Amino acid sequence: MTDKINLQEENFEESEFDFKLFISKYILRYWYLYIITVTLAVIVAYYYNWYSTPSYSANCNLLIRIDKNKNASDDVLSQLTNNVVDRNIDNEIEILDSRSMIKKAIQECDFDITYTFQGKIRKTELYKQSPIIVESDTLNYLAYRSPVKVNIQSSSKYNLSFVDPNVGKEFSKTYRFGERVDCPIGKFVINKRKFFLNAFFDNPNYEKRNFILTFNMADALTDHYQEALKISKATNQSSVVTLSIDDAVPTKAVDFLNKMVEVYIRSGIEEKNNQTKSTLNFIDEQLIAIENDLSNAETALEVFKTQNKIADIELPATALTTQIGEYDSKISNIDMELSFMDYMEKYVKDEKDLKQISPASFGIEDKLLDKFVLQLSDLENEKKEKIEHSTVDNPLIKDLDVAIQNAKTNLLESIKNVKNGYHASKGALVAQRSAVEADMRLLPNTQRQYIDIDRQRNLKEGLYTYFLQKRAENEILIASTTSDNRIINYARASYGPIKPNKDRSYDYALVFGLLIPAAFIFLRNSLNDKISDKQTLEKLTKVPILGIVGISHFGSDLIVKENPKSHIAESFRSIRTSLQYMDHGKSGNVIMISSSVASEGKSFCSLNLGSIIAISGKKTVLMSCDLRKPKSPAAFRLTMEYGLTNYLIGAVNVEQVIQKSGIENLDIILTGPKPPNPTELLMSQKMDDLFTYLKAHYEYIILDTPPLGIVTDGLLLAKYATSSVYIVRQNVTRKPHIIALNELYKSGKIRNLGIIFNAVVNNGLGYGYGYGYGYGYGYGYYDDAPENKSDWLGRIFGKKTGKEARA
């Protein structure tokens, strides 16, 4: 074996996954912990399933029709009655999920009071299955702060109680069913429902008589249902949407969804009718004005006939008359469009909802005008949504007010520009008509005047008849308006609760019951920098492992003599064999045994290794070199009067410090008295003389040295060693100690180094190997003393168990 090996302690090769080690390290070793956590998790799941309030899922399907074809008619009033607006699925989903829509649905549902049955263990919401019903008159704010308890005493009376926060006391009073209640929370009447069981409540043994009334605020309910409501599209190409909600009462969830789609469909019809009603209002205003003009025109015609004493005048069918009629019709259309713009301008100034009116519906084709109308409508809708959750003093609301005012200014300016354009067009038509009228001056004066008056009357009469027809059409449209949307499937609740899912709860319990201890063990091992198993040791160093020594549960340290059939004795036989490969069987071999810190088992291993070598027939001497911590093996009756210290100071000769151990071929040199200068003594010439003598008289010299990680004495003795054994104790030696050992090995300060993995507690490993191999324990072959097990909690948290090997 070479003296130096290029070690890279930070980049060792990763070994393949050891499934056996994983099972042993994370499962078999802590099997009781898994059983405990799985049992506790199953118990928690059982009580969760028992006590938790079940939740049901309800859903319905709604078809939203999107008509992308707009009316392209040039008829101004036809466009006025066209109710088609730009719509898409995403916008409609936003409308469905809007706070205003949900609030309308809640206000039409019977959700203002929650009826709850108070059982011995849990509460159950009854909804419409409650045997009592409250008819409220007036409620004050206290009603929404304190739950009201109702204890039904009999079929005719009940006790009402609640905590009055104003006085900090409980209000309690008995009332009769149907009696008007006047108390601090308000005025109301509690009546019995038709399925109220008189016989049951008159029975004193009947227990289901405690109920809780909770008065709900509309805003709070709106917030709850807006968060709970889920709306989704079937596919991206589909116009079918699904509304779903989870609730503890399935009938309540069904009622809410059905009411939601009902309110949504009704709101669509109302929006169409509002647009039609807006058109009717415009038509009615025009009819009043035209009716007055028509009446004036007919009166003027009659006056003209009377003054000129004529019954009728034959009108010549000339091209001039036809041309003037065409100009009159065009000018009339422009006047109508100007009336539309005036009507729209009044809408804006009166701050009416622009959803009910649009330029396109009035036949006004102006993109800039459309843009300003849409911008103003969006800003007003945004303000309406935000102001429900805020106040007018909110900076966001004030910013919106400024934006709305700017949008109104832009819209009114755009209306003004459109009107100026219409006035310019009308002026041009009037000029052209005047030119034609100039040619009519060639007709006789009486005939010309009659034609003018009759032309105006016919024009007004045609407009009046046209508006009457359109009014009738819009009234029919209001009566026959249908929704663009329809319900495909009405709401239906799940047959069983979706929560808690009993099977899934137990699955989760099993998973968490296994994961929690595994995570705990993994975290504990990750934070623990101590060597816990052979695989970790092999990853940290390339120094060969000579063998694995199990933890001792015997009463004596001299295991190899007193318990020769034990697994520990067999482990030291294996180590002895491995050492023979390291020193090639030469005589005068010096084996230095050291470790990083105290209590890792140096003296224990030195004693048993020396004993097992001596038992094999090799003349061996065990020398205790830890001058800073003198001690004598308890297995032998040796005297500390003379030892290594006495020899090194020249007080005695070498023969006087060598003591017989009682084991054939094994002699022992103790440390002797504790010296004041141990390092200087170990560096003296007497130490060289001692090794010269020992090598001449012994085949093996075992050096029990001080820890390398504490003092330098061990390194001073390393120059005498032909082989070195480093003791690594399970759950005592730390990983940085191994890194330091690698540096010593790499620098060549320690030669022929091997490791003994000491005091190993059942980790499933029954073997050790380095140079040579030996079988350890775990197969029931060896005559071991029974293990002295300690509390299992101590083993979990790393406390020592049994009588461990002494250092």
Side-chain angles (χ1 to χ4, degrees):
M1 179 177 178
T2 60
D3 291 339
K4 296 183 180 180
I5 296 178
N6 184 17
L7 298 176
Q8 299 293 333
E9 61 273 3
E10 297 179 359
N11 295 298
F12 291 116
E13 289 186 12
E14 293 291 335
S15 59
E16 295 183 359
F17 177 74
D18 192 333
F19 184 74
K20 179 181 178 181
L21 174 64
F22 175 80
I23 296 297
S24 172
K25 186 175 180 180
Y26 288 95
I27 298 179
L28 296 181
R29 185 177 177 186
Y30 299 99
W31 60 269
Y32 45 84
L33 194 59
Y34 286 95
I35 291 177
I36 292 171
T37 54
V38 168
T39 302
L40 290 176
V42 170
I43 292 174
V44 170
Y46 172 79
Y47 281 99
Y48 169 77
N49 291 333
W50 178 260
Y51 286 108
S52 61
T53 302
S55 180
Y56 297 81
S57 178
N59 60 77
C60 66
N61 303 109
L62 179 67
L63 173 64
I64 299 177
R65 295 190 182 94
I66 304 299
D67 188 358
K68 298 182 179 179
N69 298 319
K70 294 185 177 181
N71 194 335
S73 173
D74 292 332
D75 187 342
V76 176
L77 283 179
S78 295
Q79 294 186 28
L80 177 65
T81 59
N82 178 22
N83 294 319
V84 178
V85 295
D86 290 335
R87 302 168 68 233
N88 61 61
I89 294 296
D90 292 334
N91 287 345
E92 295 304 306
I93 289 177
E94 289 298 320
I95 293 173
L96 270 169
D97 197 32
S98 65
R99 183 178 176 82
S100 58
M101 190 69 66
I102 294 174
K103 191 170 185 178
K104 286 180 183 178
I106 290 174
Q107 289 173 342
E108 296 185 21
C109 291
D110 189 17
F111 292 172
D112 52 339
I113 302 174
T114 301
Y115 301 88
T116 306
F117 167 67
Q118 177 64 70
K120 291 183 178 180
I121 298 176
R122 62 182 179 180
K123 300 176 182 178
T124 305
E125 185 179 349
L126 300 177
Y127 189 43
K128 294 180 180 180
Q129 287 71 41
S130 170
I132 58 175
I133 185 172
V134 178
E135 297 176 3
S136 59
D137 184 358
T138 56
L139 298 173
N140 58 41
Y141 73 98
L142 289 178
Y144 303 102
R145 296 178 57 189
S146 301
V148 179
K149 297 179 181 179
V150 176
N151 174 259
I152 301 177
Q153 298 177 347
S154 67
S155 60
S156 59
K157 60 182 180 179
Y158 62 91
N159 178 264
L160 182 75
S161 62
F162 58 89
V163 176
D164 188 345
N166 288 336
V167 297
K169 294 182 179 179
E170 184 179 49
F171 174 89
S172 180
K173 189 175 180 180
T174 300
Y175 295 91
R176 301 187 70 84
F177 286 110
E179 179 183 356
R180 180 182 175 85
V181 177
D182 189 351
C183 63
I185 64 174
K187 300 175 182 179
F188 52 88
V189 176
I190 297 181
N191 287 317
K192 300 184 293 183
R193 291 188 188 264
K194 60 182 180 179
F195 49 83
F196 187 95
L197 301 174
N198 292 329
F200 280 21
F201 288 105
D202 285 333
N203 184 354
N205 296 324
Y206 187 63
E207 297 180 350
K208 296 182 179 180
R209 55 179 74 246
N210 294 315
F211 301 89
I212 298 175
L213 307 179
T214 304
F215 295 93
N216 303 310
M217 298 183 68
D219 287 338
L221 283 176
T222 303
D223 292 338
H224 168 72
Y225 279 96
Q226 188 173 26
E227 183 178 355
L229 180 63
K230 300 179 182 65
I231 305 175
S232 60
K233 292 187 291 186
T235 62
N236 290 332
Q237 291 76 29
S238 173
S239 61
V240 175
V241 297
T242 300
L243 288 76
S244 61
I245 194 170
D246 299 340
D247 200 285
V249 183
T251 54
K252 190 175 183 180
V254 168
D255 289 349
F256 171 75
L257 291 180
N258 286 334
K259 184 59 67 176
M260 270 293 300
V261 295
E262 177 189 332
V263 169
Y264 171 71
I265 291 175
R266 190 173 66 235
S267 67
I269 296 175
E270 289 174 353
E271 184 176 353
K272 284 185 176 183
N273 288 339
N274 287 336
Q275 293 174 359
T276 306
K277 288 176 183 178
S278 177
T279 303
L280 281 174
N281 291 336
F282 171 77
I283 291 174
D284 288 340
E285 290 179 7
Q286 299 301 312
L287 281 172
I288 292 173
I290 295 172
E291 187 176 9
N292 292 332
D293 293 342
L294 179 60
S295 178
N296 293 335
E298 289 178 345
T299 301
L301 183 61
E302 291 298 325
V303 169
F304 181 82
K305 287 182 178 182
T306 302
Q307 290 177 350
N308 292 280
K309 298 180 180 181
I310 57 176
D312 198 0
I313 296 178
E314 183 178 353
L315 298 177
T318 65
L320 294 176
T321 305
T322 302
Q323 284 183 325
I324 291 174
E326 291 176 354
Y327 285 125
D328 285 339
S329 178
K330 292 178 179 179
I331 292 171
S332 178
N333 283 337
I334 291 177
D335 287 337
M336 193 180 303
E337 290 172 342
L338 284 170
S339 297
F340 295 158
M341 296 307 299
D342 291 337
Y343 187 70
M344 183 175 177
E345 185 177 24
K346 186 173 181 297
Y347 241 78
V348 176
K349 291 181 178 179
D350 292 346
E351 297 184 351
K352 293 184 179 180
D353 189 0
L354 288 178
K355 284 184 178 180
Q356 300 177 11
I357 192 170
S358 68
S361 65
F362 290 148
I364 310 300
E365 299 295 338
D366 188 282
K367 292 183 178 180
L368 186 60
L369 187 64
D370 290 339
K371 174 185 175 182
F372 288 143
V373 169
L374 182 61
Q375 183 181 24
L376 180 58
S377 179
D378 290 342
L379 288 171
E380 289 178 342
N381 290 336
E382 184 179 356
K383 178 183 177 181
K384 187 181 297 183
E385 292 179 0
K386 289 186 180 299
I387 206 167
E388 290 184 356
H389 303 280
S390 183
T391 62
V392 292
D393 297 329
N394 191 308
L396 292 176
I397 302 299
K398 290 183 178 180
D399 291 342
L400 281 174
D401 288 336
V402 173
I404 288 173
Q405 190 59 45
N406 293 336
K408 283 184 178 180
T409 302
N410 294 334
L411 179 57
L412 291 173
E413 184 65 25
S414 181
I415 291 174
K416 179 180 177 181
N417 293 334
V418 173
K419 288 172 65 176
N420 289 338
Y422 283 141
H423 282 300
S425 299
K426 180 180 177 181
L429 289 172
V430 170
Q432 293 174 6
R433 187 184 65 179
S434 297
V436 178
E437 287 177 340
D439 296 337
M440 290 187 63
R441 293 192 182 100
L442 300 176
L443 297 174
N445 185 52
T446 301
Q447 190 176 21
R448 187 176 69 249
Q449 291 181 9
Y450 183 83
I451 289 173
D452 289 340
I453 296 172
D454 187 62
R455 188 186 68 200
Q456 292 296 327
R457 182 186 66 82
N458 290 334
L459 181 62
K460 299 300 181 182
E461 186 177 18
L463 284 174
Y464 187 73
T465 302
Y466 179 76
F467 276 112
L468 284 178
Q469 179 183 352
K470 288 300 178 183
R471 191 180 193 282
E473 291 176 358
N474 279 272
E475 288 178 343
I476 294 172
L477 185 61
I478 290 176
S480 60
T481 300
T482 58
S483 175
D484 292 331
N485 315 308
R486 69 181 179 90
I487 301 173
I488 298 179
N489 292 312
Y490 283 92
R492 186 180 63 179
S494 57
Y495 290 107
I498 59 169
K499 293 188 301 186
N501 186 317
K502 294 184 178 181
D503 293 338
R504 187 172 298 173
S505 298
Y506 287 120
D507 290 342
Y508 286 153
L510 181 61
V511 171
F512 282 107
L514 296 174
L515 285 180
I516 290 174
F520 167 76
I521 297 167
F522 176 78
L523 182 63
R524 177 177 177 271
N525 290 339
S526 299
L527 297 177
N528 182 19
D529 67 344
K530 297 178 181 179
I531 308 299
S532 60
D533 53 65
K534 185 171 72 72
Q535 277 67 21
T536 302
L537 181 60
E538 289 176 333
K539 290 179 181 179
L540 290 172
T541 184
K542 292 296 184 179
V543 177
I545 299 175
L546 302 176
I548 298 177
V549 178
I551 191 167
S552 173
H553 300 287
F554 299 100
S556 172
D557 287 345
L558 193 54
I559 308 291
V560 297
K561 179 183 178 183
E562 298 179 1
N563 300 91
K565 293 184 179 181
S566 66
H567 64 81
I568 294 179
E570 187 62 27
S571 297
F572 280 106
R573 292 188 184 96
S574 172
I575 295 169
R576 180 185 62 190
T577 304
S578 298
L579 285 171
Q580 291 174 354
Y581 281 91
M582 292 179 65
D583 58 29
H584 307 293
K586 296 179 181 179
S587 61
N589 287 290
V590 181
I591 302 173
M592 182 183 77
I593 299 179
S594 187
S595 65
S596 299
V597 294
S599 302
E600 290 180 309
K602 295 189 292 32
S603 299
F604 173 82
C605 291
S606 300
L607 177 61
N608 284 277
L609 183 60
S611 300
I612 202 69
I613 293 175
I615 291 172
S616 67
K618 304 293 183 180
K619 191 168 180 59
T620 307
V621 61
L622 171 61
M623 184 165 62
S624 180
C625 300
D626 192 352
L627 303 184
R628 300 173 188 270
K629 191 178 179 181
K631 62 180 178 178
S632 174
F636 306 106
R637 294 181 179 181
L638 303 175
T639 176
M640 289 285 287
E641 182 179 359
Y642 298 113
L644 180 60
T645 303
N646 304 96
Y647 169 78
L648 292 177
I649 64 175
V652 295
N653 57 37
V654 64
E655 288 82 359
Q656 291 178 282
V657 298
I658 297 175
Q659 301 184 56
K660 298 296 182 179
S661 66
I663 298 177
E664 186 178 359
N665 297 322
L666 179 63
D667 293 338
I668 297 176
I669 300 176
L670 300 180
T671 57
K674 182 177 180 181
N677 56 343
T679 303
E680 287 73 13
L681 291 177
L682 294 176
M683 296 174 61
S684 66
Q685 180 61 38
K686 294 284 288 182
M687 198 69 181
D688 294 338
D689 297 341
L690 176 61
F691 274 100
T692 301
Y693 176 84
L694 294 177
K695 288 181 179 180
H697 292 80
Y698 295 93
E699 296 179 78
Y700 281 88
I701 303 170
I702 309 298
L703 304 180
D704 182 6
T705 67
L708 291 175
I710 299 178
V711 294
T712 60
D713 297 358
L715 291 177
L716 295 175
L717 296 168
K719 65 179 181 178
Y720 301 108
T722 57
S723 301
S724 300
V725 176
Y726 195 85
I727 308 301
V728 175
R729 182 166 183 167
Q730 186 183 44
N731 295 323
V732 174
T733 306
R734 298 182 180 275
K735 295 176 182 178
H737 295 158
I738 305 301
I739 303 301
L741 175 66
N742 291 337
E743 290 294 333
L744 292 174
Y745 191 38
K746 181 179 178 181
S747 64
K749 294 180 181 180
I750 302 178
R751 292 173 294 177
N752 289 344
L753 180 62
I755 291 176
I756 293 178
F757 195 24
N758 186 36
V760 177
V761 183
N762 289 329
N763 68 340
L765 301 176
Y767 53 89
Y769 58 87
Y771 282 88
Y773 62 91
Y775 291 92
Y777 63 94
Y779 296 96
Y781 174 79
Y782 303 105
D783 184 16
D784 291 346
E787 183 179 351
N788 181 21
K789 297 183 179 179
S790 70
D791 181 59
W792 57 271
L793 285 175
R795 296 205 302 276
I796 294 175
F797 295 100
K799 295 180 180 180
K800 297 179 180 179
T801 60
K803 179 186 176 183
E804 298 187 356
R806 290 190 287 271

